[in-house]
Amino acid sequence: METFAWFGDPEVMKFTPFGPDESVTATLDRIRRYLEHQAQYGFAKWMILERGTGKPIGDSGLMYCSECRRFEPGYRLLPDYWNKGLATEAASAWLQHGVHELGLTDLMAFTHPDNVASVRVLEKIGFRFSHRAVLMGMPSKIFTLPDSSY
Ligand SMILES: CC(C)(COP(=O)(O)OP(=O)(O)OC[C@H]1O[C@@H](n2cnc3c(N)ncnc32)[C@H](O)[C@@H]1OP(=O)(O)O)[C@@H](O)C(=O)NCCC(=O)NCCS
């Protein structure tokens, strides 16, 4: 299963609250949850395909965070594809879609404070640091999206 290449990778999942998926079965359960979210809201995490080859290289999307009671963006890529601007491109497209097409308001984002690449992505797409908190058991920086950003 291609998606397990990143959902099961300890490096990619280092700053994800529950760490890497331990098995392909766990990744299948995860994808089932994404499909349920898709059915309920009309969107979820989607696969990122490499332009040209169509190879699955990561995922990005908007998900409802029940602990935060808000929608939040997410993004992950195989390490070979880091630092090429791809997460910024994907997350920015999701935010445009979320705000303008879906009419979502009150979006938030969170990431582990040591996840400097993710913090940078959030800043580049318009989020601003709000405060620190523990979310899903993980020390986190919480970000909000100023009204004027999108
Ligand atoms: C977070 C992640 C998706 C970023 O993807 P990406 O496609 O590399 O991101 P981008 O290239 O769009 O932007 C990365 C930015 O972080 C910066 N950056 C990356 N590593 C850095 C480091 N160690 N120190 C400082 N800046 C760093 C890059 O320079 C770039 O900023 P710039 O455009 O101002 O130069 C990728 O690192 C990843 O998949 N990590 C594992 C999964 C993860 O942590 N997801 C987020 C969970 S909240």
Side-chain angles (χ1 to χ4, degrees), residues 22-68:
E22 286 179 359
S23 62
V24 170
T25 308
T27 295
L28 284 170
D29 286 342
R30 171 193 292 280
I31 290 170
R32 202 168 295 121
R33 291 195 298 276
Y34 292 169
L35 289 172
E36 285 167 6
H37 191 286
Q38 177 75 32
Q40 182 173 358
Y41 297 105
F43 57 90
K45 296 266 178 77
W46 288 11
M47 201 132 73
I48 300 173
L49 305 179
E50 184 182 32
R51 275 197 189 99
T53 66
K55 179 186 167 192
I57 58 170
D59 67 277
S60 179
L62 295 171
M63 294 286 285
Y64 186 71
C65 166
S66 49
E67 199 170 316
C68 334

Side-chain angles (χ1 to χ4, degrees), residues 12 75-77 82-88 110-111 115-118 120-121 124:
V12 175
Y75 32 76
R76 290 183 202 93
L77 289 159
W82 291 1
N83 293 317
K84 299 173 192 290
L86 295 177
T88 302
F110 70 96
T111 190
N115 196 349
V116 285
S118 181
R120 185 73 194 115
V121 169
K124 286 197 288 180

Side-chain angles (χ1 to χ4, degrees), residues 107-138:
L107 288 151
M108 59 85 69
F110 70 96
T111 190
H112 192 287
D114 295 342
N115 196 349
V116 285
S118 181
V119 168
R120 185 73 194 115
V121 169
L122 291 176
E123 290 170 347
K124 286 197 288 180
I125 64 177
F127 278 94
R128 293 293 167 259
F129 173 69
S130 166
H131 61 280
R132 285 177 185 245
V134 175
L135 275 183
M136 296 180 219
M138 183 178 81

